[in-house]
């Protein structure tokens, strides 16, 4: 994979959810009715962005799938896409339009080499950005990779009512992002992203 935001550290803070711009009144996201609109069982799409990987040789994709399944969610689709702007963008755009996709996660292509185009390709699709994801991911990665964290451009946003997370391509980064941040928070974010102004799901 072209992405070299190598191995990222781990932690299990779920606090990045707090005020994420949604109509939350509870400051602790585990309390009261704060999760009333959470998606019970997620259907996830996992996309590996790489010119060298295949579904049979995709450790980062494997750990993301395992993280969802460990919490009782399903992976509806897995794909491997080459490091190409149009290919990445069209793939994510197509997947979020599927009825069986509540959340999408990409891995790879978030570094700074010329062929790292995931952030630009997917970012163009965001109706809303979720800056807290990248901030938390980088904070948790710093202990392991130090100042090299400045080259990590992990990002997230909402595309057509579907939360989309873009992780680096290493197995450790995929594990950190999926196990410690995405899987714990995705049911809540997916539920919020499909609510209309009155708090009802579309």
């Amino acid at each position: 994979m072209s992405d070299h935001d190598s191995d990222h550290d781990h932690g299990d803070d779920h606090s990045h959810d707090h005020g994420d711009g949604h109509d939350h009144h509870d400051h602790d996201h585990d309390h009261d009715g704060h999760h009333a609109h959470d998606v019970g069982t997620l259907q996830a799409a996992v996309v590996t962005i790489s010119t060298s990987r295949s579904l049979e040789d995709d450790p980062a994709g494997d750990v993301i799938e395992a993280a969802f399944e460990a919490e009782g969610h399903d992976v509806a689709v897995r794909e491997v896409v080459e490091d190409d702007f149009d290919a990445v963008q069209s793939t994510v755009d197509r997947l979020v339009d599927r009825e069986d996709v509540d959340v999408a996660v990409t891995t790879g292509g978030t570094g700074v080499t010329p062929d790292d185009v995931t952030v630009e390709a997917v970012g163009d699709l965001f109706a809303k950005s979720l800056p807290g994801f990248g901030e938390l991911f980088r904070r948790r990665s710093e202990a392991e990779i130090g100042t090299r964290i400045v080259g990590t451009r992990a990002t997230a946003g909402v595309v057509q009512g579907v939360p989309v997370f873009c992780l680096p391509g290493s197995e450790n980064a995929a594990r950190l992002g999926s196990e410690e941040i995405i899987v714990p928070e995705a049911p809540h974010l997916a539920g919020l992203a499909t609510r209309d102004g009155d708090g009802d799901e579309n």
Side-chain angles (χ1 to χ4, degrees):
M1 295 179 185
S2 59
D3 193 331
H4 24 261
D5 313 329
S6 49
D7 311 56
H8 294 69
D9 110 4
H10 350 283
D12 26 29
D13 182 86
H14 307 125
S15 61
H16 79 296
D17 161 273
H18 9 281
D20 13 6
H22 308 297
D23 54 338
H24 306 345
H25 312 296
D26 319 324
H27 20 313
D28 185 339
H29 74 295
D30 285 325
H31 288 49
D32 305 325
H34 192 68
H35 279 242
H37 291 271
D38 287 11
V39 177
T41 301
L42 290 167
Q43 299 284 334
V46 178
V47 181
T48 297
I49 294 140
S50 172
T51 54
S52 59
R53 295 293 186 188
S54 66
L55 288 176
E56 292 71 34
D57 177 28
D58 180 19
D62 290 343
V63 299
I64 295 168
E65 180 173 18
F68 278 104
E69 292 180 342
E71 296 301 319
H73 305 297
D74 299 317
V75 173
V77 58
R78 276 185 66 177
E79 295 189 14
V80 175
V81 181
E82 63 182 8
D83 298 278
D84 174 79
F85 184 99
D86 291 338
V88 171
Q89 188 173 86
S90 62
T91 296
V92 171
D93 195 37
R94 170 173 51 82
L95 292 176
V96 299
D97 199 40
R98 289 175 51 141
E99 291 293 324
D100 61 348
V101 170
D102 301 305
V103 58
V105 183
T106 73
T107 173
T110 65
V112 296
T113 63
D115 58 351
D116 286 326
V117 296
T118 301
V119 174
E120 289 72 27
V122 180
D124 280 355
L125 300 173
F126 289 165
K128 296 181 184 295
S129 62
L130 298 171
F133 171 72
E135 293 163 2
L136 179 60
F137 182 84
R138 282 181 284 276
R139 189 175 79 204
R140 294 191 167 278
S141 302
E142 184 181 6
E144 185 165 345
I145 67 173
T147 55
R148 283 189 294 137
I149 199 63
V150 300
T152 299
R153 300 189 302 137
T155 190
V158 178
V159 182
Q160 297 181 42
V162 175
V164 178
F165 300 88
C166 302
L167 288 168
S170 76
E171 183 177 349
N172 280 5
R175 180 176 288 108
L176 163 65
S178 58
E179 292 182 359
E180 309 297 348
I181 306 174
I182 297 172
V183 173
E185 297 299 338
H188 188 50
L189 292 171
L192 290 171
T194 56
R195 289 169 62 180
D196 63 26
D198 297 320
D200 296 325
E201 293 191 7
N202 293 322

